Amino acid sequence: MWRLRRVAVACEVCQSLVKHSSGMKGSLSLQKLHLVSRSIYHSHHPTLKLQRPQFRTSFQQFSSLTNLPLRKLKLSPIKYGYQPRRNFWPARLAARLLKLRYLILGSAVGGGYTAKKTFDQWKDMIPDLSDYKWIVPDIVWEIDEYIDLEKIRKALPNSEDLAKLAPDFDKIVESLSLLKDFFTTGSPGETAFRATDPGSESDKPYRKGLLGELILLQQQIQEHEEEARRAAGQYSTSYAQQKRKVSDKEKIDQLQEELLHTQLKYQRILERLEKENKELRKLVLQKDDKGIHHRKLKKSLIDMYSEVLDVLSDYDASYNTQDHLPRVVVVGDQSAGKTSVLEMIAQARIFPRGSGEMMTRSPVKVTLSEGPHHVALFKDSSREFDLTKEEDLAALRHEIELRMRKNVKEGCTVSPETISLNVKGPGLQRMVLVDLPGVINTVTSGMAPDTKETIFSISKAYMQNPNAIILCIQDGSVDAERSIVTDLVSQMDPHGRRTIFVLTKVDLAEKNVTSPSRIQQIIEGKLFPMKALGYFAVVTGKGNSSESIEAIREYEEEFFQNSKLLKTSMLKAHQVTTRNLSLAVSDCFWKMVRESVEQQADSFKATRFNLETEWKNNYPRLRELDRNELFEKAKNEILDEVISLSQVTPKHWEEILQQSLWERVSTHVIENIYLPAAQTMNSGTFNTTVDIKLKQWTDKQLPNKAVEVAWETLQEEFSRFMTEPKGKEHDDIFDKLKEAVKEESVKRHKWNDFAEDSLRVIQHNALEDRSISDKQQWDAAIYFMEEALQARLKDTENAIENMVGPDWKKRWLYWKNRTQEQFVHNETKNELEKMLKCNEEHPAYLASDEITTVRKNLESRGVEVDPSLIKDTWHQVYRRHFLKTALTHCNLCRRGFYYYQRHFVDSELECNDVVLFWRIQRMLAITANTLRQQLTNTEVRRLEKNVKEVLEDFAEDSEKKVKLLTGKRVQLAEDLKKVREIQEKLDAFIEALHQEK
């Protein structure tokens, strides 16, 4: 009974399966049920006809795997007929469920394998960017410290864009579905596999019982699973290979476009974030400038490094310590776009421009640093140029051009002297660049003959630095074979370890070059013998000098987005645009700085030790004063000496002024005033002649002579104070400087123009006075007159002695002889003296008959003379006679003061000449007093002011100080100071560099 119940239940299960399949297309017959289900005898089914199905060895036609070889399935023999004991429907249900599970497992394994293999192939097609990791700036690796990652996450591409890069899982699922149908169902009325095998023993009864049924079911399930796994693997492999062969090229193109699109999108996102970061940093720096945080900002690293380079540029390495600190050296052919590239990096048009003309005439060191405002300033100037204003930009370009022309010496075209310029602004990459004059091939008209060699020497001097980064600029719009700079760069850096190659004007190159692969060869350096660390392509505008930096940048980005160079993978996205170039150059610059700066610091420490040892051995007791310190010391000494002029006593000033003035005017007084007046016959004529000549002299010459004497006296006193040795404290190293200061101060000083007018009035009044008040003044006048006449008499006797030769004593004692001319003069003198003895009151001039008489007398003695010789001899002889007579008369006037008071009434003695000399003496005293007052009250102070101005000018003139303060001691102290300064700045920079790390 229980067996019949089981059979009935199984029949109901089968009927229910048929009913549930009624919703499908067609009808599901019992033939489509499992073999085990069909093998059971259903006594309640009226249409059941038990028959042995025919064996079929092939798959159905609709399957896509009809050509796949499958081994024949060998099913266990089943005995057909009435089997009342095999009514076990739970086993059949479990078999169906197990079959479905293994089919799904096999499909998942095959699909996963295919997906993994496709993913590996795509991964291999993506280029390896690890070699270009150095190009990515440090800020990218530290981006989480400066940029809000939440904003980046929101700005990243959405899942739809990323899904395009994933494998097509829908097609894989479709293929697996076909595979599942292939193993499970066939066309209506047929089965996937036949229930019998020709090789099976159909007449042999199969084991009866529940255990045998289960074993049979397990074997069949295992065989089905094995076939399914094998078929799924073969199908997956075949399908992937076929699909890859068909769409391999399309996928590569698609991936390249998607990769380029993703890179450009990331570039735009990064630019937007950098712009936001720049604005935020600008606000922070502006707050710091306003003192909101009340703290002093430290110098930036690049500013500290630039100061080190500025000191090194002025340092004359006398101890083989060369400047090997890194900087970016921008070299290129003339008009290759060097200046334009540098302006794009600096984000401002700061250099003078010209069409085809050489504009860069000297090296320009540009220090780029970050700051709140976009400004530029020179090292030696405090003026800031606002780079956001066109007026300041024009002024800056004009100033750079003026400095270049000032550096160029006469007869030259270029100069090695460096112009130092600092450019600050938000978002600028920190680095130091040196723009060099463009390399030329031919010297044109208007250039110096050695221009080409000078440019080569300047470029080599900068590039031979083993730590200098060479930014080689090549014009892409001209033939590469015409380049000169590539050969020069390959000589300086043959292995390309510190060279970055930049191809400019790529837009013109792509338009003009017929073969795009030629541009790729230029970028990769295959057309040159030069090797490089990196290759870049940039666009520097459309050739219009009025274009703004922002317009050029937009044009550059638009060009590379549509350029075939990127679409055909000739260029990578990181190799284009000046923005990527500046990031790469900055990163390479700081990498080189970190690698070399400590070694340079050690070399300067060794140099400092050598210099200090040399100083201790040569100058153990002297301070180490450099040229500037020595100049300050000399300046203080000079100012002290100028102040000493104000401490000179009035008496000393008046004495030296009176003496100097009489020495200047004595000749005029004796020769032009006294002697002509003394030739008159009476006192009235004498006084009249004296008054007239004194008036003329006072109006025309005397005030000017007095001012000249005063100015010369001031110079002499100033010079005496300047050159007077100070004993042990005197340092001869200042002598040249003091002499130069004195000469320049005297040259600049001019006496007050109103001094002559006031002196003229004073002198005229003094000479008009004839009243001698006391005997002391009378005696002083006589003494002054005697000194003046004796000095003139002595000069006259010396003149006569030179005229007639030595007398008989000197001839006998010193063995000297007279010449023929001296003999004639002596004979003429003797003849004229005889004439004066006969007439002691002879007038000053000889008459013509007297000259004839003298000549005849001399001829009678055999002496031939000329009348002019007689006159010259007479002048000296009569002068001596007159002076002797005047001295005798002066001696007689010593007791004539009494007669003078009575106006020489009832007296034959007349002393008008004494009164004349008293008037002259009094005029000299009053003039000296007036000049002394002008000196002490005005001129000394003006001279002191001039000296200060000269010292200030010398302090600003480095060449003048080098010329005036020289010597081994000065040079050694100068080198020692600079080496110490360099070492201190390097140590501070290294410490800040470590702190930033």
Side-chain angles (χ1 to χ4, degrees):
M1 289 299 296
W2 61 273
R3 289 184 178 178
L4 292 176
R5 290 178 181 176
R6 288 182 178 178
V7 171
V9 172
C11 185
E12 291 177 1
V13 171
C14 293
Q15 291 175 0
S16 64
L17 290 174
V18 173
K19 290 179 181 179
H20 284 81
S21 351
S22 60
M24 301 174 61
K25 290 183 180 181
S27 59
L28 183 61
S29 60
L30 290 175
Q31 283 81 4
K32 279 191 170 186
L33 298 177
H34 196 269
L35 298 175
V36 177
S37 176
R38 290 169 46 193
S39 62
I40 302 175
Y41 175 71
H42 298 271
S43 59
H44 300 282
H45 200 281
T47 61
L48 180 59
K49 295 181 180 181
L50 298 175
Q51 61 180 356
R52 181 176 181 143
Q54 298 181 0
F55 179 77
R56 300 188 63 174
T57 61
S58 63
F59 294 100
Q60 299 178 7
Q61 298 298 322
F62 75 93
S63 175
S64 61
L65 298 178
T66 54
N67 55 351
L68 294 177
L70 296 175
R71 69 180 182 86
K72 296 180 180 180
L73 296 177
K74 189 172 183 179
L75 301 177
S76 300
I78 302 175
K79 185 176 181 180
Y80 296 90
Y82 179 73
Q83 298 177 0
R85 291 183 173 273
R86 297 177 185 177
N87 188 16
F88 191 57
W89 62 269
R92 291 193 297 272
L93 182 60
R96 291 178 180 273
L97 296 176
L98 289 173
K99 176 182 178 182
L100 181 61
R101 182 186 66 183
Y102 286 108
L103 284 176
I104 294 175
L105 180 62
S107 300
V109 171
Y113 174 76
T114 304
K116 181 179 182 303
K117 191 169 184 180
T118 305
F119 175 75
D120 292 339
Q121 291 174 355
W122 287 353
K123 185 178 179 181
D124 294 338
M125 287 189 293
I126 295 176
D128 186 10
L129 301 177
S130 60
D131 295 337
Y132 303 94
K133 185 177 180 181
W134 63 271
I135 298 179
V136 181
D138 293 339
I139 190 175
V140 176
W141 309 114
E142 302 172 358
I143 196 169
D144 57 340
E145 299 179 6
Y146 305 99
I147 301 177
D148 190 357
L149 296 179
E150 184 65 23
K151 292 184 179 180
I152 299 178
R153 184 184 65 78
K154 294 179 181 179
L156 287 176
N158 53 25
S159 58
E160 295 180 358
D161 297 333
L162 295 176
K164 294 179 181 180
L165 302 176
D168 193 353
F169 292 104
D170 295 336
K171 295 182 179 180
I172 296 175
V173 173
E174 182 183 358
S175 302
L176 294 177
S177 300
L178 293 174
L179 181 63
K180 178 181 178 182
D181 294 339
F182 170 76
F183 285 109
T184 55
T185 60
S187 60
E190 295 183 356
T191 58
F193 297 99
R194 295 302 175 180
T196 60
D197 190 350
S200 63
E201 298 178 0
S202 59
D203 55 346
K204 186 177 181 178
Y206 194 75
R207 288 185 305 170
K208 298 180 180 180
L210 181 60
L211 182 60
E213 186 73 21
L214 292 174
I215 294 173
L216 177 63
L217 180 61
Q218 185 178 4
Q219 291 177 355
Q220 291 177 353
I221 290 173
Q222 291 177 356
E223 290 177 358
H224 280 288
E225 290 174 356
E226 184 178 355
E227 290 295 331
R229 284 194 297 268
R230 188 181 294 107
Q234 293 177 356
Y235 173 73
S236 299
T237 304
S238 176
Y239 179 76
Q241 291 178 354
Q242 184 178 3
K243 191 171 183 179
R244 186 171 62 252
K245 291 180 180 179
V246 173
S247 61
D248 203 12
K249 185 177 180 181
E250 295 178 357
K251 283 187 177 181
I252 291 175
D253 296 339
Q254 183 181 1
L255 284 174
Q256 287 178 349
E257 292 181 0
E258 291 177 354
L259 181 61
L260 178 60
H261 178 73
T262 304
Q263 289 176 342
L264 293 176
K265 190 171 183 179
Y266 167 74
Q267 186 75 17
R268 288 192 294 270
I269 294 171
L270 185 61
E271 290 176 1
R272 181 170 59 82
L273 293 175
E274 285 181 353
K275 187 175 182 181
E276 293 178 359
N277 187 29
K278 181 171 68 175
E279 294 296 330
L280 292 174
R281 291 182 64 85
K282 181 178 179 180
L283 292 175
V284 172
L285 292 173
Q286 286 177 348
K287 290 180 180 179
D288 289 339
D289 286 345
K290 294 177 181 178
I292 293 178
H293 298 293
H294 299 286
R295 62 181 178 86
K296 184 179 180 181
L297 288 176
K298 295 182 179 179
K299 287 185 179 179
S300 63
L301 273 177
I302 193 64
D303 291 336
M304 297 171 66
Y305 186 76
S306 179
E307 288 181 358
V308 175
L309 295 182
D310 289 337
V311 176
L312 281 173
S313 64
D314 300 331
Y315 174 60
D316 183 13
S318 303
Y319 295 87
N320 299 323
T321 302
Q322 299 180 357
D323 175 14
H324 288 168
L325 288 176
R327 71 260 287 159
V328 181
V329 180
V330 186
V331 295
D333 298 328
Q334 185 179 355
S335 302
K338 304 188 299 9
T339 302
S340 299
V341 171
L342 206 156
E343 286 180 337
M344 290 292 292
I345 295 176
Q347 300 181 12
R349 289 189 170 274
I350 57 178
F351 292 103
R353 320 188 69 79
S355 57
E357 182 184 359
M358 177 181 289
M359 300 304 298
T360 307
R361 297 180 177 270
S362 65
V364 181
K365 181 177 75 69
V366 181
T367 303
L368 300 180
S369 60
E370 194 172 16
H373 307 288
H374 202 187
V375 296
L377 66 158
F378 292 97
K379 180 188 72 171
D380 54 354
S381 175
S382 59
R383 178 187 176 184
E384 286 190 353
F385 296 88
D386 190 351
L387 301 184
T388 60
K389 298 180 180 179
E390 189 59 35
E391 299 81 5
D392 284 16
L393 280 172
L396 176 61
R397 291 192 290 265
H398 182 65
E399 181 67 21
I400 292 176
E401 185 175 2
L402 289 179
R403 288 173 178 257
M404 286 183 180
R405 296 188 181 278
K406 181 180 178 181
N407 290 342
V408 177
K409 298 180 180 178
E410 186 177 357
C412 300
T413 307
V414 293
S415 170
E417 297 183 15
T418 305
I419 299 174
S420 183
L421 179 68
N422 293 338
V423 178
K424 298 181 180 181
L428 293 182
Q429 299 298 321
R430 303 176 302 167
M431 67 184 95
V432 177
L433 303 103
V434 182
D435 186 21
L436 299 180
V439 180
I440 60 174
N441 190 21
T442 305
V443 177
T444 59
S445 60
M447 293 184 179
D450 61 342
T451 302
K452 179 179 178 181
E453 291 75 14
T454 305
I455 294 175
F456 268 83
S457 63
I458 294 174
S459 302
K460 288 182 179 179
Y462 277 92
M463 288 191 293
Q464 69 184 1
N465 179 0
N467 295 322
I469 300 169
I470 304 173
L471 196 62
C472 180
I473 308 298
Q474 170 65 33
D475 189 351
S477 62
V478 300
D479 295 335
E481 291 78 8
R482 293 167 56 186
S483 176
I484 310 172
V485 70
T486 51
D487 295 335
L488 180 62
V489 172
S490 61
Q491 295 176 8
M492 296 292 103
D493 185 24
H495 301 291
R497 295 173 181 172
R498 52 188 180 90
T499 300
I500 297 178
F501 181 81
V502 181
L503 186 67
T504 61
K505 306 177 184 178
V506 184
D507 51 342
L508 300 178
E510 187 179 29
K511 184 187 301 183
N512 299 333
V513 177
T514 57
S515 176
S517 61
R518 183 174 178 84
I519 300 178
Q520 184 180 11
Q521 292 177 352
I522 296 175
I523 290 294
E524 295 176 354
K526 295 181 179 179
L527 291 181
F528 306 108
M530 181 191 70
K531 298 179 181 179
L533 187 65
Y535 300 87
F536 289 85
V538 298
V539 174
T540 56
K542 300 179 182 179
N544 186 4
S545 60
S546 62
E547 286 182 291
S548 64
I549 297 296
E550 190 65 29
I552 297 175
R553 184 178 298 165
E554 293 177 358
Y555 171 71
E556 183 183 41
E557 292 178 357
E558 180 182 358
F559 166 76
F560 282 116
Q561 286 179 3
N562 303 322
S563 175
K564 297 179 180 179
L565 299 175
L566 282 179
K567 292 183 178 180
T568 57
S569 298
M570 292 185 183
L571 293 175
K572 307 299 180 184
H574 64 271
Q575 290 182 292
V576 297
T577 71
T578 50
R579 180 184 296 275
N580 290 334
L581 172 64
S582 62
L583 291 173
V585 173
S586 176
D587 186 69
C588 187
F589 168 76
W590 284 107
K591 180 181 178 183
M592 193 75 76
V593 168
R594 292 186 180 95
E595 291 176 353
S596 60
V597 66
E598 293 187 358
Q599 182 181 359
Q600 287 292 299
D602 293 338
S603 64
F604 278 104
K605 287 180 182 177
T607 304
R608 175 179 176 176
F609 176 78
N610 295 337
L611 292 173
E612 288 177 345
T613 304
E614 184 176 0
W615 181 273
K616 291 178 181 177
N617 293 333
N618 293 323
Y619 311 102
R621 298 182 179 179
L622 294 178
R623 291 175 54 199
E624 300 168 2
L625 300 178
D626 62 358
R627 186 171 281 110
N628 291 331
E629 293 172 340
L630 288 173
F631 181 83
E632 290 298 323
K633 183 179 179 181
K635 177 181 177 181
N636 294 331
E637 291 186 6
I638 293 172
L639 293 177
D640 292 341
E641 291 162 358
V642 174
I643 294 175
S644 300
L645 286 174
S646 61
Q647 299 176 357
V648 178
T649 61
K651 181 180 179 181
H652 179 74
W653 277 122
E654 292 181 8
E655 288 178 355
I656 58 177
L657 285 171
Q658 186 172 349
Q659 181 181 357
S660 301
L661 183 59
W662 172 243
E663 290 176 357
R664 181 66 61 87
V665 301
S666 60
T667 302
H668 180 82
V669 170
I670 300 297
E671 302 293 336
N672 298 329
I673 298 177
Y674 173 65
L675 291 179
Q679 304 300 321
T680 59
M681 300 306 295
N682 53 49
S683 61
T685 308
F686 178 88
N687 292 330
T688 302
T689 304
V690 167
D691 291 341
I692 293 173
K693 290 187 177 293
L694 287 177
K695 181 70 169 60
Q696 295 175 351
W697 183 45
T698 305
D699 291 339
K700 296 180 180 180
Q701 299 181 8
L702 183 57
N704 187 22
K705 294 289 184 181
V707 171
E708 290 180 358
V709 168
W711 177 217
E712 291 176 359
T713 303
L714 180 61
Q715 294 182 37
E716 291 175 359
E717 288 297 308
F718 179 51
S719 177
R720 181 174 66 84
F721 280 107
M722 293 279 286
T723 59
E724 191 177 44
K726 305 297 187 300
K728 294 182 179 180
E729 297 180 358
H730 178 70
D731 196 345
D732 56 357
I733 202 171
F734 300 142
D735 292 345
K736 293 176 66 176
L737 176 60
K738 290 181 178 181
E739 185 67 23
V741 171
K742 184 194 74 172
E743 293 177 358
E744 185 66 23
S745 301
V746 168
K747 187 186 300 183
R748 295 185 184 184
H749 185 79
K750 291 183 179 180
W751 204 272
N752 193 352
D753 296 334
F754 301 103
E756 291 187 10
D757 297 334
S758 61
L759 274 176
R760 184 176 293 107
V761 175
I762 294 172
Q763 290 169 348
H764 180 72
N765 294 333
L767 292 174
E768 286 291 330
D769 188 8
R770 297 186 180 87
S771 61
I772 304 176
S773 60
D774 53 16
K775 181 70 167 56
Q776 185 178 2
Q777 294 182 6
W778 181 268
D779 293 340
I782 293 176
Y783 178 76
F784 174 64
M785 180 179 175
E786 285 181 345
E787 283 188 346
L789 296 178
Q790 287 177 357
R792 293 295 164 181
L793 179 59
K794 185 177 181 180
D795 293 338
T796 304
E797 289 179 348
N798 291 332
I800 293 174
E801 183 179 358
N802 293 330
M803 183 184 298
V804 300
D807 55 4
W808 65 272
K809 286 184 178 180
K810 292 182 178 179
R811 290 199 302 272
W812 279 98
L813 294 175
Y814 301 106
W815 294 82
K816 292 183 178 180
N817 295 320
R818 292 173 176 166
T819 62
Q820 182 62 31
E821 184 180 1
Q822 290 176 343
F823 175 77
V824 173
H825 276 289
N826 184 54
E827 293 296 327
T828 305
K829 176 183 76 73
N830 294 334
E831 190 68 25
L832 293 173
E833 286 178 349
K834 292 179 182 179
M835 185 185 297
L836 283 174
K837 287 181 179 180
C838 297
N839 185 12
E840 292 183 355
E841 295 181 357
H842 194 284
Y845 301 99
L846 285 175
S848 59
D849 55 344
E850 292 176 334
I851 295 174
T852 303
T853 302
V854 172
R855 185 169 61 82
K856 288 183 179 180
N857 292 336
L858 292 174
E859 287 178 356
S860 64
R861 295 199 299 268
V863 178
E864 296 290 338
V865 295
D866 189 78
S868 61
L869 187 145
I870 297 173
K871 292 180 180 180
D872 294 339
T873 308
W874 168 254
H875 176 73
Q876 298 297 334
V877 171
Y878 181 81
R879 183 185 181 88
R880 182 176 64 178
H881 170 72
F882 175 80
L883 291 173
K884 288 181 177 181
T885 305
L887 285 172
T888 303
H889 179 72
C890 180
N891 191 25
L892 294 175
C893 289
R894 288 183 182 277
R895 58 183 184 273
F897 180 70
Y898 172 74
Y899 299 103
Y900 165 76
Q901 289 179 333
R902 298 179 62 183
H903 304 289
F904 300 102
V905 177
D906 300 333
S907 175
E908 296 180 358
L909 182 64
E910 294 183 357
C911 298
N912 293 319
D913 49 358
V914 176
V915 176
L916 170 63
F917 277 94
W918 178 83
R919 294 166 66 183
I920 298 296
Q921 186 183 27
R922 187 169 182 272
M923 182 273 298
L924 292 176
I926 293 175
T927 302
N929 181 268
T930 304
L931 293 175
R932 190 266 305 168
Q933 293 179 6
Q934 293 180 359
L935 281 171
T936 56
N937 296 335
T938 306
E939 301 304 327
V940 171
R941 295 178 182 178
R942 293 178 64 236
L943 178 63
E944 182 179 356
K945 181 180 178 181
N946 290 335
V947 171
K948 289 181 179 179
E949 291 177 354
V950 171
L951 289 172
E952 290 176 359
D953 294 342
F954 283 8
E956 296 176 357
D957 192 348
S958 300
E959 295 181 358
K960 185 75 75 174
K961 289 191 289 186
V962 171
K963 182 179 179 181
L964 298 177
L965 295 174
T966 58
K968 180 181 178 181
R969 167 186 158 195
V970 180
Q971 190 61 42
L972 184 59
E974 192 74 13
D975 293 340
L976 186 55
K977 178 201 172 184
K978 289 183 178 179
V979 169
R980 284 175 177 168
E981 183 179 4
I982 293 170
Q983 183 188 349
E984 291 174 359
K985 290 184 178 294
L986 276 176
D987 292 342
F989 173 75
I990 293 172
E991 183 180 357
L993 191 64
H994 291 328
Q995 290 177 358
E996 188 183 65
K997 273 190 177 181

